[in-house]
Amino acid sequence: MPELDDKQPSGRERALTAGCLLLLVLVADVAATLLVFIVLTVRGLGRMHSSSGQTATGVPPMDWAPVLGFGALTLAVSVTAVVLLRLGHQVIGAVQLTLCAFLTLHTLGPWL
């Protein structure tokens, strides 16, 4: 009877593992994205209520919170993509890199 450690996973088992890993990573990315949107929404509501009785005297300064929030999210997604590519999951890593490219464009949108 052959040892269990020498047994290579079949194509179906590898596909199932890759699918579950993709689902787990995408759910984690969606949760992080929701966290960024909730923080930015609450921050925007707080600014809206605090400035209701004031008049604007000049141009407001640049708000760096969205840039920093989406930048941190982009960094997390890119690190996840690199780790997945290093582990040998090329398809899942490619999906993550595509998502990272979209987030990078969104983050750098004010300057493009």
Side-chain angles (χ1 to χ4, degrees):
M1 191 162 132
E3 292 289 326
L4 292 177
D5 294 336
D6 296 336
K7 182 181 174 187
Q8 294 287 341
S10 68
R12 177 175 253 162
E13 290 173 354
R14 288 186 60 174
L16 181 64
T17 302
C20 290
L21 187 60
L22 175 62
L23 183 65
L24 180 66
V25 167
L26 289 179
V27 166
D29 288 342
V30 166
T33 303
L34 286 176
L35 180 66
V36 168
F37 280 125
I38 289 171
V39 167
L40 292 177
T41 302
V42 169
R43 181 178 163 86
L45 288 174
R47 277 192 323 210
M48 188 171 62
H49 289 300
S50 67
S51 66
S52 61
Q54 300 173 355
T55 60
T57 58
V59 177
M62 171 85 174
D63 186 14
W64 288 96
V67 174
L68 294 175
F70 284 113
L73 184 61
T74 303
L75 181 65
V77 170
S78 65
V79 167
T80 304
V82 169
V83 168
L84 287 170
L85 288 173
R86 297 281 293 171
L87 290 175
H89 296 283
Q90 282 80 22
V91 174
I92 304 169
V95 169
Q96 287 292 103
L97 284 177
T98 304
L99 184 62
C100 180
F102 286 128
L103 283 171
T104 301
L105 288 175
H106 183 73
T107 302
L108 298 176
W111 293 290
L112 296 177

